[in-house]
Amino acid sequence: MKRRFRTTLLFAALAVLCVSGGVLWALTGSSPISRSAAALEPAKPPAIIRQEPAGKPALPDTPQAPVTQALSRRVAEYHISVQLAPDERKLTAAETVTWTHPGKKPVSDLYFHLYPNAFASDKTTFMKESGGKLRGDSMPQDGYGSMTLTDVRTEDGVSLLHRMRYVQPDDGNPGDRTLVKIHLPQPVSGGESVTLRLQYEVSLPKIFARMGQSGNFVMAGQWFPKLSVYEPAGTRGVKEEGWNLHQYHGTSEFYSDFGIYSVAVSVPANYTVAATGFPVKNPKIAKGRKIYQFYADDVHDFAWAASPDFVYAEEAFSSAEVPGVRIKLYLDPLHKDLKERYFQAAKAALTAFSKWYGPYPYTTLSIIVPPKEGNGAGGMEYPTLITAFGAESGSAGTSLERTVIHEIGHQYFYGMVASNEFEEAWLDESFTSYAEDRLMEQEYGIATNLPLQASLVTSPKPLTLNTWKYGGAKAYTQNVYVRGKLVLKDIERQVGVKTMDSILSSYARRYRFHHPSTADFQKMVEKATKTSWQEYFDHYVYGGDAPDFSVEGITVSRNKNGSYESLTTIANKGSLYAGVSVKFTFANGRTLQKPWNGQGGETSFRLTSAAPLVSAEVDPGHEVLLENRHMNNFRKAALPAASVSRWTLGLTNAIETVLGIFVW
């Protein structure tokens, strides 16, 4: 979930309510296969290079990968042996990675993400942009961590260490070492494969920004040298094939190619390990160490967690859309009595999302509940593995269910529909938030207050910005989490729930195990509705526009017949938005609604009535979800002095009370 920034939104909501006198309702809730046949033949698993640190138990050999039907184009294949030394906060690992060139042009360089180097000092791009803070957490004192490549060789044993260069394509920051280029001795042609053998050490940071160690708890997320994505022409609309290269930024997440992972994890004998994929055999204990062997295919990342304190529970689950999956809980002891709630939320999410977006294709789903002090690793998604919020007490509000549901939603939007989270994060976060809200209402009766959330978007920006170009976590959150979800809800309002269900189902199934773009989603909307949405997307997706409806003025007079005549001027000061309703309320309690097509930017309504007009309100049902300024939607009429009676004033005050709005 990349945790939903609930604290930020909550305080922002309180601020909005204070300023507006309660502009809207109170925010509800805890806050606001088809299988691909075009897969490359997987490369033969290479033998992993072994290096046994002095005084350490031997790392295990990597077994042959199971033979499985390919669901994705398996571009990368990783075989990793890693050893945890918790007393030193250290990982020692050997990795053999095979990359199969998915394009056509010869490639002379491979690029690897070294994400742990984001925490190497206060001079990295991540630390400079984030200020050492993320999702309400701060970098612990003396909590730095890093990754060091100690050896890089070809399959033939040729050293490539002298061919390595750290690169900073986004900002040129020499203090950032989160992306490395390795120049190959020979170029790789399209369709060919190349294998490298790496050895490295990771100094784990104290838990912050999704990874690290806190006490006995270890979260290994983004912990290994991971290949960047090479995009063939046509991928996400790119015209020229090439590497998609970005550093690790303060608000960015990840983008990787699908592949195969075979990972051996060596930990102290009293530790339990949870990981992406499934164990291929029971863990082996030797010389005080426990060695696990995991395998996963058709995934684009691999994460694991370890602790001697996990309380383990497991249930098998199947439904019409879920052939069979083992749900595995790794609970903090504080939440051992809440396992039923975790299972219920997981089953509800798997059932609904598999029905809506396509069957869950994996055989396992692991849920990790960190301890309170490890909450920096909480609320995050990895293929077949999610983390919940850290356990703070033996009881929990519905944030427990909401977090589990959101993160399982990411198994679809991010896990299978693998968007570029550097450049189009809304395709993951907004879509998952949309699905989360729907399921929370369906399963738990908790409806999210969308108009109030809209009012929190104080800085609308294009949804397709690179994440670090939002100018900080606040604007990033407002747009990528909230505004993007509101765009989806607004499209739903216009096309209807049934058509929107069809759009999202078609999109999720069509681009499963692919890397789609915003343009691909737009095509699915246009295909389902048989109309162009270009203008809408230009305003609200590729642009940061927002409508701003306003009651500009009301005049009321009494004619010679004793009737009242009113002239109300309505305007849209923001971007074009067709179709809005205007509600008129009269002193005798009568109401009248009139439509306005939004054309021309401004219009006037001239009404004759038996009682004076008391007020006018644009969009009284708050159906225009993309409007974030609601204060000027309502205006009270300036009544003729002779017409202001006690009952009139009483009714006006009652209207203000019911609406919860200070009007002028």
Side-chain angles (χ1 to χ4, degrees):
M1 169 171 159
K2 300 117 173 177
R3 247 190 263 176
R4 300 218 2 141
F5 301 91
R6 288 189 176 81
T7 303
T8 302
L9 291 178
L10 180 59
F11 280 98
L14 292 173
V16 170
L17 291 172
C18 291
V19 171
S20 65
V23 173
L24 303 161
W25 307 269
L27 185 62
T28 50
S30 58
S31 72
I33 138 148
S34 61
R35 298 186 170 186
S36 170
L40 289 178
E41 196 69 30
K44 291 183 179 180
I48 192 165
I49 188 169
R50 296 176 57 191
Q51 182 181 27
E52 301 174 8
K56 303 287 185 177
L59 296 177
D61 292 325
T62 300
Q64 290 292 107
V67 178
T68 59
Q69 179 183 356
L71 303 177
S72 66
R73 190 175 191 179
R74 297 172 175 177
V75 173
E77 183 169 345
Y78 295 86
H79 294 263
I80 308 174
S81 292
V82 58
Q83 183 169 258
L84 168 67
D87 293 342
E88 303 173 51
R89 283 193 4 229
K90 182 180 178 182
L91 303 178
T92 303
E95 171 177 318
T96 299
V97 56
T98 298
W99 179 73
T100 301
H101 188 347
K104 298 178 180 179
K105 297 180 179 179
V107 168
S108 298
D109 303 293
L110 295 185
Y111 291 84
F112 287 84
H113 293 285
L114 309 183
Y115 288 115
N117 283 338
F119 315 114
S121 74
D122 59 2
K123 300 187 185 311
T124 70
T125 295
F126 181 96
M127 294 297 290
K128 290 171 71 174
E129 290 178 352
S130 69
K133 297 181 179 180
L134 183 70
R135 309 185 312 176
D137 295 313
S138 298
M139 166 67 82
Q141 187 175 6
D142 300 323
Y144 291 112
S146 62
M147 171 183 281
T148 302
L149 293 176
T150 57
D151 195 27
V152 180
R153 295 182 183 273
T154 67
E155 195 171 22
D156 297 327
V158 178
S159 176
L160 302 180
L161 279 176
H162 62 292
R163 293 171 174 260
M164 286 173 33
R165 298 289 184 275
Y166 294 103
V167 294
Q168 302 84 20
D170 298 325
D171 62 5
N173 174 16
D176 189 85
R177 294 190 168 193
T178 57
L179 188 65
V180 68
K181 177 176 74 172
I182 300 177
H183 189 67
L184 301 173
Q186 296 177 341
V188 184
S189 298
E192 293 182 346
S193 298
V194 61
T195 297
L196 296 186
R197 296 175 175 176
L198 303 86
Q199 297 187 41
Y200 54 96
E201 295 179 349
V202 177
S203 175
L204 291 168
K206 293 182 180 178
I207 280 189
F208 169 66
R210 312 177 184 95
M211 75 166 296
Q213 181 174 335
S214 179
N216 290 327
F217 175 77
V218 173
M219 185 69 228
Q222 311 304 330
W223 59 280
F224 61 96
K226 184 162 54 172
L227 281 162
S228 298
V229 176
Y230 188 92
E231 297 181 321
T235 304
R236 298 190 313 110
V238 300
K239 296 181 180 179
E240 295 288 334
E241 69 175 73
W243 292 101
N244 185 273
L245 301 174
H246 296 295
Q247 300 154 240
Y248 194 9
H249 291 270
T251 51
S252 71
E253 295 195 12
F254 315 105
Y255 181 39
S256 309
D257 257 323
F258 290 97
I260 293 172
Y261 289 83
S262 182
V263 181
V265 182
S266 173
V267 296
N270 62 330
Y271 273 62
T272 298
V273 175
T276 292
F278 57 88
V280 296
K281 56 186 177 182
N282 292 328
K284 178 174 63 177
I285 297 179
K287 298 180 180 180
R289 307 283 298 181
K290 187 187 294 184
I291 303 168
Y292 290 80
Q293 182 71 51
F294 295 96
Y295 174 84
D297 53 27
D298 300 309
V299 297
H300 52 73
D301 200 358
F302 188 99
W304 57 277
S307 172
D309 303 320
F310 282 141
V311 177
Y312 180 72
E314 177 183 316
E315 286 191 13
F317 175 69
S318 64
S319 70
E321 292 80 19
V322 183
V325 59
R326 288 195 171 276
I327 304 173
K328 303 178 178 183
L329 290 182
Y330 299 83
L331 297 163
D332 180 82
L334 200 57
H335 276 197
K336 63 181 180 181
D337 296 328
L338 300 178
K339 64 180 181 180
E340 184 177 359
R341 289 178 59 183
Y342 282 101
F343 280 126
Q344 287 178 349
K347 292 173 183 178
L350 286 171
T351 300
F353 296 154
S354 292
K355 180 180 180 180
W356 299 343
Y357 310 127
Y360 183 76
Y362 307 111
T363 59
T364 60
L365 174 68
S366 296
I367 303 171
I368 298 166
V369 182
K372 178 181 179 180
E373 59 274 14
N375 201 32
M380 188 58 193
E381 73 282 351
Y382 306 92
T384 78
L385 181 149
I386 66 170
T387 63
F389 278 136
E392 295 189 8
S393 69
S395 61
T398 53
S399 60
L400 183 157
E401 285 80 8
R402 185 176 289 277
T403 304
V404 171
I405 285 171
H406 184 93
E407 304 311 331
I408 293 177
H410 274 304
Q411 297 300 310
Y412 298 82
F413 300 109
Y414 153 82
M416 287 174 271
V417 182
S419 308
N420 184 337
E421 292 188 290
F422 290 113
E423 300 178 6
E424 297 179 284
W426 88 287
L427 291 175
D428 300 302
E429 294 301 346
S430 299
F431 284 59
T432 300
S433 296
Y434 173 95
E436 167 208 324
D437 280 357
R438 179 178 177 185
L439 188 56
M440 285 299 294
E441 184 168 10
Q442 172 183 299
E443 201 68 23
Y444 299 98
I446 299 174
T448 300
N449 192 316
L450 298 177
L452 180 54
Q453 289 194 0
S455 69
L456 304 178
V457 183
T458 59
S459 181
K461 295 181 184 295
L463 298 176
T464 52
L465 286 181
N466 292 342
T467 61
W468 57 96
K469 293 185 178 179
Y470 281 101
K474 181 179 179 181
Y476 169 78
T477 303
Q478 289 178 4
N479 288 277
V480 170
Y481 281 80
V482 180
R483 185 170 167 273
K485 176 183 68 176
L486 295 174
V487 165
L488 297 177
K489 291 295 294 185
D490 191 61
I491 294 173
E492 176 196 286
R493 186 189 67 81
Q494 296 184 54
V495 305
V497 174
K498 185 176 180 180
T499 299
M500 189 62 174
D501 287 349
S502 177
I503 290 170
L504 289 175
S505 177
S506 298
Y507 171 72
R509 294 169 194 265
R510 165 64 181 83
Y511 293 105
R512 168 177 287 225
F513 301 109
H514 289 78
H515 302 303
S517 67
T518 298
D520 293 319
F521 172 65
Q522 180 184 340
K523 291 174 185 175
M524 302 306 287
V525 176
E526 293 177 337
K527 181 178 180 180
T529 59
K530 297 179 174 59
T531 187
S532 173
W533 282 73
Q534 191 61 51
E535 185 175 40
Y536 183 91
F537 272 69
D538 285 343
H539 278 298
Y540 302 116
V541 179
Y542 306 121
D545 293 343
D548 181 17
F549 290 105
S550 171
V551 182
E552 292 291 279
I554 303 175
T555 60
V556 180
S557 61
R558 196 167 190 176
N559 61 28
K560 58 184 179 181
N561 298 324
S563 299
Y564 292 91
E565 292 185 354
S566 59
L567 182 66
T568 304
T569 301
I570 308 296
N572 181 2
K573 299 178 178 179
S575 57
L576 177 67
Y577 194 97
V580 68
S581 179
V582 185
K583 180 180 179 181
F584 301 93
T585 301
F586 300 91
N588 59 2
R590 174 174 169 256
T591 61
L592 175 68
Q593 290 203 182
K594 293 274 191 178
W596 178 39
N597 62 14
Q599 300 299 312
E602 184 175 294
T603 192
S604 295
F605 293 87
R606 189 179 297 275
L607 303 174
T608 300
S609 55
L613 181 67
V614 172
S615 65
E617 182 180 9
V618 187
D619 188 29
H622 302 290
E623 296 178 348
V624 184
L625 296 176
L626 300 180
E627 183 175 14
N628 62 336
R629 298 177 180 177
H630 297 94
M631 285 291 295
N632 57 359
N633 286 36
F634 184 91
R635 183 178 286 270
K636 182 175 66 176
L639 301 181
S643 303
V644 180
S645 62
R646 288 183 179 180
W647 67 267
T648 303
L649 286 173
L651 180 59
T652 303
N653 291 336
I655 291 172
E656 291 182 353
T657 300
V658 171
L659 290 174
I661 296 175
F662 292 135
V663 296
W664 63 94

